[in-house]
Amino acid sequence: MAGSWDESHELGSQSDDSFQFERQHIEPIYDAFICPLSKQIMKDPVSIENGQTFEREAIEKWFNECRENNRKLVCPLTLKELKTTDMNPSIALRNTIEEWSARNEAVQLDMARKSLTPGCPEIDTLRALRFVQYICQKNSRRIIRNADLIPMIVDMLKSGSRKVRCRALETLRIVVEDDDDNKEIMAEGDNVRTIVKFLSHEQSKEREEAVSLLYELSKSESLCEKIGSVNGAILILVGMTSSKSENLLTVEKADKTLENLEKNESNVRQMAENGRLQPLLTLILEGSPEIKLSMASYLGELALSNDVKVFVARTVGSSLINLMKSGNVQSREAALKALNQVSSCDPSAKVLVEEGILSPLVKDLFAGPNQLPMRLKEISATILANIVASDCDFDSIPVGPNHQTLVSEEIIHNLLYLISNTGPAIECKLLQVLVGLTSSPVTLISVVSAIKSSGAINSLVQFIEAPQQDLRLAAIKLLQNLSPNMGQELASSLRGSAGQLDGLIKVIAENIVSSEEQAVAVGLLADLPERDMGLTRQMLDEGAFEMVIARIKMIRQGEPRRSRFVTPYLEGLVRVLLRITFVLQNEPKAVSLCRDHDLTGLFTELLANSLDNVQMVSAFALENLSLESKNLTKLPEIPPPSVCMSIFPCFSKPQVMTGLCRVHRGACSRRDTFCLLEGPALRRLVGLLDHTNAAVVEASLAALSTLLEDGVNIEQGVAVLMEAEGIKPILDILLEKRTENLGRRAVWVVERLLRTEDIAYEVSGDPNVSTALVDAFQHGDYHTRQTAERALKHVDKIPNFSGIFPNA
């Protein structure tokens, strides 16, 4: 007899973990079973002419070699010549071998069963699993199923040995290949969940084997739903397909598994939720009407990144727009919800505009309630609001039957009508549409013209008192956008008896932490005409300025800095407070308020703020306050001389008045007369003269120039600036010529400085200053040329008898 079964059967690897059972456990192999050529147990034995028996495949190969090498046809055992290559099947021997194999495999399967139980040595378990693989590769998977080995192999996935777990996963993959019955048994109970757990395992080999097994299982359509139902399965698979750390084979298997899972709609939804959108988009493009509706509905529920929104718009934007235009209300709702989601970033909104969304969208908005329910009109309005926030050329894209555009008067009038005759939700969205259209200078003018022609400004102002915050915010944003072109109309409307100004002030004062609504509201109030006396007086009467002062102080103390809107809020507050400095000459209440709250001191403190706009506005406010100083200063009363002194004046001494302001010649203080000489205002204004922002420099120079105005002691004003080291920065401004306005202001100030002989003498030797004054004299406007001429006379560059300009 030949050796045992395991010595004559190849089970793959010949390493120590090959499946080798002890000889006494296996029925002996008879020599007649072994092919003399292949030395393997025969599967299809045949007899040749001389009665010798061989494996058919082996003897056919022998005969072919004889012919190819032009050798005599001989028997490979006896080497005697043969006359024919005829072969006769040895049926009896084949049946005997098959019966022997079946008995042998039954014994080995029983051994495998015993080795696939907990507590068996690792080497025995590994050999048993390898034997199962061998049986399957013989196309005998049914034997494994009938022997109930599949559940036992699954139990090996819980082994503490990594080698056993990997071999078990590999074996299960081979067991279920091309066998749906084995797949069903394999997927029973929690087995799929167990396999999925291996996808996130640290060991890459186990992940690879688990993915390969899931791929085989996913070929069964009935198991796709079960795999997808395991929490996290699709998420992990999607992550593996985009991982750069996985090997290419694993990534490919994960991708193919997901492709198989796409057969189930629930899985497609999960994939979309986890970032694999293409299957869902494909169903929207190619699915049945019912599936298109289902997938579009789900798309509307997804949270998408901006990049994905652009991808979706390019892929299915046109299909969703067509679905939106269908007669089926459910389809229209699904499409509108999806388009609402996709349209909420600028790039994707532009794609939808290119796909032609505007015309059907506007048509839906203006359709009667019987054609489109109001809830869907609200979604249409939201989409339109999203789209107008992008920078498309809405003044050139036709949206109506007569080539109207979104900013045509008829369209704007229809939008205004809807705003006044619908509910708060849709009103808010339509106001946002107008906010978008008025945010661009290209379309702003057309919208302003349409609003003026409709007389709707009072209706829009009324929304300031709406109880819904989002509605108020949209209305205030719109009014702020309109204010540069409709400032006077807005001021007049707010001054009315309806109380909208009070409502606006309440919004500004509402929260402790600055909100977007507060920032926009204070911005609107700051944008209104600053010299509107009626509006400023009403704000005084309603205590608005006291509230603004309190808010500015609170922000300076650092209380609400957590809010990202604190910067625009503070800038708006300071601009609103600036208003009161424009009415000081005509409004005693304003003077009292400035004194009571020491606004000169407050604006001086704000000069140290890091925000350019705050510094600029504060400097302008100090200019207005300082201009009023000469009117508020109390000039000293000199008592009349006594009779003796009148008779003998030679014995009299002039009276010396102490404590008077050098510039304003009277009793001055920062709080009462707004004098810049008290406190750090002068030093801070001079410090801002070299600011990088020309607007801040101009405002600071304007404030300092009030010390050189007519009606004050100019000589002392110059002296004060010299002491504050402000002369050189002023001359530098003249030389730099940063802006036209700044240049004009600098020429005026320098002319005043040059009235002092010492400064004139020093400057006369500086050719750069002379050149700058000559340039202003030659190229400035009428008043600047006059001023430059006077300055040049001070430094003897123009004779005093020059009469180029007549006396004004």
Side-chain angles (χ1 to χ4, degrees):
M1 290 188 297
S4 64
W5 174 91
D6 52 270
E7 293 171 337
S8 58
H9 286 72
E10 290 293 335
L11 294 180
S13 169
Q14 291 300 309
S15 61
D16 290 341
D17 68 346
S18 295
F19 191 70
Q20 298 176 359
F21 295 105
E22 295 296 333
R23 185 185 180 109
Q24 62 266 28
H25 297 304
I26 304 175
E27 187 176 339
I29 300 174
Y30 294 92
D31 291 337
F33 293 176
I34 305 298
C35 171
L37 286 175
S38 68
K39 308 301 181 185
Q40 301 291 323
I41 296 175
M42 291 183 285
K43 297 178 182 177
D44 187 8
V46 292
S47 298
I48 58 174
E49 177 187 339
N50 64 359
Q52 296 293 332
T53 302
F54 302 91
E55 176 68 43
R56 181 188 294 276
E57 183 180 351
I59 193 62
E60 285 178 345
K61 181 179 179 184
W62 172 265
F63 288 157
N64 288 334
E65 289 176 351
C66 288
R67 280 192 293 269
E68 290 171 0
N69 296 320
N70 294 318
R71 294 200 310 260
K72 289 181 179 181
L73 193 65
V74 297
C75 172
L77 283 181
T78 65
L79 299 180
K80 292 182 178 180
E81 188 172 353
L82 299 173
K83 297 179 180 179
T84 178
T85 59
D86 291 347
M87 294 173 284
N88 296 314
S90 298
I91 297 174
L93 178 58
R94 184 178 67 190
N95 290 340
T96 301
I97 292 173
E98 287 178 351
E99 290 171 1
W100 175 88
S101 294
R103 292 193 302 273
N104 195 49
E105 286 178 357
V107 173
Q108 292 174 325
L109 282 172
D110 185 59
M111 293 169 61
R113 175 185 294 278
K114 293 176 181 176
S115 298
L116 292 175
T117 54
C120 281
E122 178 185 280
I123 187 65
D124 289 347
T125 303
L126 291 172
R127 288 171 177 169
L129 291 169
R130 185 69 80 190
F131 172 69
V132 172
Q133 293 180 20
Y134 165 77
I135 294 296
C136 292
Q137 287 163 354
K138 287 178 60 181
N139 296 319
S140 302
R141 290 178 172 80
R142 179 176 54 82
I143 295 174
I144 303 301
R145 179 170 65 251
N146 293 340
D148 289 331
L149 285 177
I150 295 176
M152 301 181 73
I153 300 171
V154 171
D155 285 342
M156 292 299 100
L157 297 177
K158 302 172 184 176
S159 169
S161 166
R162 181 175 65 84
K163 288 184 179 179
V164 170
R165 294 195 302 269
C166 283
R167 182 71 58 81
L169 288 166
E170 178 187 7
T171 304
L172 287 170
R173 172 179 57 79
I174 295 171
V175 167
V176 301
E177 277 179 352
D178 304 319
D179 192 313
D180 287 344
D181 291 332
N182 282 1
K183 286 183 173 73
E184 292 294 334
I185 295 172
M186 162 74 240
E188 288 177 353
D190 249 6
N191 293 344
V192 174
R193 187 183 304 276
T194 301
I195 297 166
V196 169
K197 289 180 180 178
F198 283 98
L199 295 180
S200 55
H201 207 276
E202 292 180 2
Q203 296 295 331
S204 60
K205 182 63 177 175
E206 290 175 275
R207 286 202 305 274
E208 293 168 18
E209 293 293 349
V211 171
S212 297
L213 175 53
L214 277 178
Y215 170 58
E216 288 300 326
L217 293 175
S218 69
K219 292 178 181 178
S220 169
E221 192 166 340
S222 63
L223 293 183
C224 286
E225 182 178 359
K226 187 159 192 175
I227 295 172
S229 67
V230 176
N231 186 33
I234 289 178
L235 172 61
I236 297 172
L237 287 169
V238 170
M240 293 177 79
T241 60
S242 59
S243 172
K244 296 181 180 178
S245 60
E246 299 286 353
N247 66 53
L248 292 177
L249 182 61
T250 303
V251 171
E252 182 183 351
K253 283 289 174 68
D255 193 59
K256 288 183 177 180
T257 303
L258 288 169
E259 288 177 6
N260 291 337
L261 296 180
E262 290 171 12
K263 300 166 190 172
N264 181 273
E265 283 187 40
S266 176
N267 293 343
V268 170
R269 290 189 179 91
Q270 279 196 67
M271 291 179 201
E273 184 179 351
N274 292 302
R276 188 180 174 97
L277 269 172
Q278 189 58 58
L280 181 141
L281 302 182
T282 300
L283 290 179
I284 291 177
L285 291 171
E286 303 173 2
S288 65
E290 293 78 14
I291 289 178
K292 286 184 177 181
L293 171 60
S294 173
M295 294 298 111
S297 297
Y298 191 71
L299 180 61
E301 298 172 7
L302 291 175
L304 307 175
S305 68
N306 287 345
D307 289 342
V308 172
K309 289 173 186 176
V310 176
F311 172 71
V312 172
R314 288 177 177 156
T315 307
V316 297
S318 179
S319 297
L320 291 173
I321 292 169
N322 289 334
L323 198 61
M324 180 185 79
K325 294 189 286 187
S326 70
N328 183 287
V329 174
Q330 284 184 319
S331 297
R332 294 174 78 178
E333 181 170 5
L336 284 170
K337 287 182 177 178
L339 288 167
N340 181 31
Q341 177 69 264
V342 175
S343 66
S344 57
C345 81
D346 286 359
S348 59
K350 289 179 182 177
V351 173
L352 293 177
V353 171
E354 292 169 4
E355 296 290 347
I357 193 174
L358 279 178
S359 185
L361 204 56
V362 172
K363 184 179 178 182
D364 278 353
L365 270 177
F366 297 155
N370 295 330
Q371 295 176 279
L372 191 70
M374 193 58 70
R375 60 186 171 82
L376 297 189
K377 282 194 176 188
E378 181 184 340
I379 302 175
S380 297
T382 305
I383 298 170
L384 188 57
N386 290 340
I387 287 174
V388 298
S390 64
D391 57 349
C392 294
D393 298 326
F394 296 111
D395 58 333
S396 61
I397 302 173
V399 298
N402 299 318
H403 303 288
Q404 301 103 319
T405 68
L406 273 181
V407 293
S408 295
E409 186 173 72
E410 179 184 351
I411 299 295
I412 298 297
H413 284 180
N414 285 338
L415 288 173
L416 292 170
Y417 175 80
L418 284 176
I419 288 171
S420 299
N421 293 278
T422 52
I426 191 170
E427 286 171 348
C428 177
K429 301 305 178 185
L430 293 173
L431 284 170
Q432 289 174 3
V433 171
L434 292 180
V435 169
L437 292 175
T438 53
S439 297
S440 165
V442 177
T443 52
L444 171 62
I445 301 302
S446 298
V447 178
V448 167
S449 176
I451 291 176
K452 285 183 176 180
S453 65
S454 69
I457 191 64
N458 288 334
S459 299
L460 295 175
V461 168
Q462 289 175 4
F463 284 108
I464 290 175
E465 296 189 299
Q468 298 84 4
Q469 184 181 18
D470 55 349
L471 183 56
R472 283 198 315 270
L473 177 59
I476 295 171
K477 281 184 175 180
L478 173 60
L479 296 175
Q480 186 180 18
N481 288 351
L482 296 174
S483 61
N485 298 86
M486 300 185 68
Q488 202 54 59
E489 292 93 332
L490 283 169
S492 299
S493 182
L494 286 170
R495 286 201 310 268
S497 58
Q500 278 83 23
L501 177 61
D502 181 59
L504 191 63
I505 293 170
K506 286 180 179 177
V507 169
I508 296 170
E510 189 171 15
N511 300 317
I512 295 176
V513 177
S514 311
S515 67
E516 182 184 15
E517 184 183 15
Q518 287 179 295
V520 175
V522 78
L524 167 60
L525 193 55
D527 285 342
L528 297 178
E530 55 195 14
R531 298 181 185 274
D532 187 311
M533 292 282 293
L535 184 61
T536 303
R537 285 196 178 103
Q538 191 167 340
M539 290 172 64
L540 271 168
D541 293 340
E542 295 186 10
F545 292 109
E546 286 87 346
M547 177 274 296
V548 168
I549 293 167
R551 282 303 172 123
I552 291 174
K553 289 181 177 179
M554 185 175 68
I555 290 174
R556 291 195 70 254
Q557 292 168 2
E559 291 185 19
R561 288 191 182 274
R562 294 169 293 167
S563 169
R564 61 192 176 97
F565 298 106
V566 68
T567 293
Y569 184 52
L570 175 59
E571 290 177 343
L573 289 170
V574 176
R575 289 169 58 208
V576 169
L577 191 56
L578 171 67
R579 296 183 63 91
I580 201 168
T581 66
F582 287 99
V583 298
L584 294 174
Q585 284 188 346
N586 305 303
E587 186 55 61
K589 279 187 179 181
V591 174
S592 297
L593 185 139
C594 291
R595 286 171 169 167
D596 293 343
H597 294 277
D598 187 17
L599 288 200
T600 306
L602 179 58
F603 282 118
T604 298
E605 291 174 3
L606 290 171
L607 290 176
N609 188 276
S610 60
L611 300 174
D612 289 6
N613 287 338
V614 171
Q615 291 176 327
M616 178 186 68
V617 173
S618 298
F620 279 136
L622 289 173
E623 176 193 14
N624 292 341
L625 289 163
S626 182
L627 283 172
E628 198 61 22
S629 294
K630 60 187 177 184
N631 301 322
L632 299 175
T633 296
K634 295 180 180 180
L635 298 177
E637 296 182 4
I638 301 176
S642 63
V643 176
C644 181
M645 291 300 178
S646 299
I647 298 173
F648 304 103
C650 58
F651 295 105
S652 66
K653 293 182 180 180
Q655 293 188 8
V656 178
M657 305 294 292
T658 59
L660 300 181
C661 176
R662 298 163 58 185
V663 175
H664 301 114
R665 305 186 182 95
C668 268
S669 70
R670 183 182 74 183
R671 177 182 288 272
D672 293 330
T673 65
F674 319 140
C675 182
L676 298 182
L677 271 61
E678 182 181 324
L682 190 63
R683 175 175 51 81
R684 289 182 180 176
L685 288 169
V686 169
L688 291 175
L689 292 180
D690 65 349
H691 200 284
T692 55
N693 188 329
V696 175
V697 176
E698 183 180 348
S700 302
L701 187 59
L704 291 171
S705 68
T706 59
L707 302 177
L708 307 175
E709 285 280 351
D710 294 336
V712 304
N713 189 329
I714 297 176
E715 183 178 350
Q716 286 299 314
V718 173
V720 166
L721 290 174
M722 287 181 66
E723 293 167 8
E725 299 181 348
I727 305 300
K728 185 180 183 303
I730 293 172
L731 294 175
D732 289 341
I733 293 169
L734 175 69
L735 300 178
E736 289 172 2
K737 304 175 186 176
R738 293 170 67 177
T739 67
E740 189 175 341
N741 285 340
L742 194 52
R744 280 197 296 267
R745 175 73 71 174
V747 170
W748 185 92
V749 175
V750 168
E751 188 277 326
R752 298 278 164 144
L753 295 177
L754 294 177
R755 295 182 185 184
T756 300
E757 291 184 2
D758 291 344
I759 295 178
Y761 175 78
E762 186 174 345
V763 168
S764 65
D766 188 340
N768 293 325
V769 175
S770 299
T771 300
L773 290 171
V774 169
D775 182 72
F777 173 66
Q778 292 175 341
H779 304 106
D781 59 28
Y782 179 79
H783 292 291
T784 301
R785 290 169 66 190
Q786 279 188 316
T787 306
E789 180 191 15
R790 291 195 297 271
L792 287 168
K793 287 179 180 179
H794 296 320
V795 292
D796 296 329
K797 299 298 180 182
I798 293 180
N800 280 330
F801 52 79
S802 174
I804 292 178
F805 296 103
N807 292 329

